Amino acid sequence: MNQRRNASSKSQPTKPLITKSPDISKQKGYKSQKSNFFSSEKNIFTLCLAFRIANSLLIRTYFNPDEHWQALEVAHRIVFGYGHLTWEWRKGIRSYFHPLLFAVLYKVLALFGLDTPWFMAHAPRLLQALFSAVGDLYFYRLSNAIFGNFVAKWALFSQLANWFMFFCFNRTLSNSLETVLTLVGLYYWPCMRASPSKVPLVLRKWGLAIAALACAIRPTSAITWVYVGLLELAVTRDRLKFLVLEVVPIGALVLGLSCLLDRLMYGSWVIVPLNFLKFNFLSSGGDYYGTHKWHWYFSQGFTVMLFTFLPFSIAGSIKSKCWKLSGLIAWVLIVYSIQGHKEFRFVLPMLPIALMFSGYSLSVMAKSDSDSRRKGSPNSHMKRPSKVGFAIFFLLATNIPMALYMSLVHQRGTEDVMIYLSKEAQNEKVKGILFLMPCHATPYYSTLHYDLPMRILDCSPSEEKGIPDESDHFMMDPVSFVTRMTNGSLPSHVVLFDSEEKLLRDFLISHSFTEIRRFFHAHFKVDRDLQASVVVYALAN
């Protein structure tokens, strides 16, 4: 195994890039006490896995269509032969690598006869819980490698307590897996450590392979790895060797395997990363789904994700003086801010890094409390609550209600209705379903898991800007649109939001439909009119 030369013989990069962050556990006056539990990474992984499994079972709400339509729906089609492929798969801007992970899961469920409504609804998130637990473990490892064990424990607390990580990390989004790969990859890159020269260079090859894999799954992940790669280029001695013998061959190998996989699945050669970047960056195709102000990530998006951890993260960033990690967050947020279309999940890989700084800030507070108790009288700690104790109470009191509300309550109707229809379909009570709601507002065949006719409003982007899609036409004149759409052929069930129900109730009743179920959806609107309930109408026998 190749080792870097000693510090006396290696070239030194500019100081801000390798400034060693203060290790709280090694500062004067602090006595390191590793608990038995945290001395074993097996214990840490077991804790994280148990937490993420419970986390996954507590997610009952709908967040982003891609969780179902770009992963589970595709996987369901691969294994069971039916499922809806969105326009992205016709354009070749999605890689099959991510859906195939869930296709393997579906195949195993089918082989053991476990493809029941419960397992089809929960098993994918349970698999993601396993991936998330691996991400948590490497997050702890990375924090430990940079700041020490004492900080790492507080960083892990921040990761597990943050409401958005609880709400989003276990969802079957490609961004969730990208976040896991980012945490694993950063751990293996020497430039991300406090002392790069002490990291065996062979680990960098693992870091490169994982970075390439992240880019194959999410081409925009290259934004992160360009920064890390340039940082590594600045600190490494053999730059030419790094580029020619590591970056090029490893990157080409992973890209080649990814293209070969997509060739087998698409049936023709498709360079997904190129198509993806063309649509989302060169042509601003993502703007079709809405745009935000340039400062949205700074003023709203990333701020909301951090929530009450924000002041602790800012303080930790300043106190730790780990500018390369702070620079990574700033770099990613700035580059994503250039694009008009913005979403919370795009910057999910940066959230753990910010929470690591929060862990550093909490560790400083814990050390300060420890010093105060040691310098004061034996009963001094009874006179006033500790700073870190108050901080923990504040963070838990604000994040737990937010996590539970967003995971169990807000926008749950579209998940509940598909689980209900799945059970009804298994009992042969459903013959066909028409969804009169914004496209991709519910899960689809991957949750229903029954091969029957279903119809949604299409919202594929037009080649020409300004041309309304089916969803737009429906909102302009719901009754006329549905009349033309059904053309005398009525489904057995119609699903719609209560806001559209008001416009179509008379039409549905006149065509012998009756309301059979109503599911709570949301207390407040997100980006449309308030969609308080999801309503199911059935055709009278």
Side-chain angles (χ1 to χ4, degrees), residues 344-378:
F344 293 104
R345 61 190 178 96
F346 290 168
V347 295
L348 181 63
M350 292 300 103
L351 183 56
I353 309 302
L355 292 171
M356 190 184 300
F357 287 128
S358 176
Y360 188 94
S361 180
L362 290 172
S363 69
V364 172
M365 297 172 68
K367 179 187 177 296
S368 176
D369 289 338
S370 177
D371 291 343
S372 297
R373 286 194 296 269
R374 186 172 56 254
K375 293 177 182 179
S377 63

Side-chain angles (χ1 to χ4, degrees), residues 84-93 279 289 440 459-461:
H84 183 85
L85 293 183
T86 61
W87 64 271
E88 289 98 330
W89 299 92
R90 297 193 298 271
K91 295 288 186 178
I93 66 173
F279 178 81
Y289 295 102
H440 308 142
C459 61
S460 302

Side-chain angles (χ1 to χ4, degrees), residues 10 32 78 96 209 257 318 327 378 406 447 457 469 474 496:
K10 73 180 190 299
S32 179
I78 293 171
Y96 273 92
L257 291 175
I318 296 171
M406 296 299 293
T447 299
L457 301 178
D469 55 34
F474 169 71
L496 69 170

Side-chain angles (χ1 to χ4, degrees), residues 23-31 367 371 374-375:
D23 188 342
I24 299 298
S25 63
K26 295 180 180 179
Q27 290 183 9
K28 184 178 179 180
Y30 174 78
K31 183 179 180 181
K367 179 187 177 296
D371 291 343
R374 186 172 56 254
K375 293 177 182 179

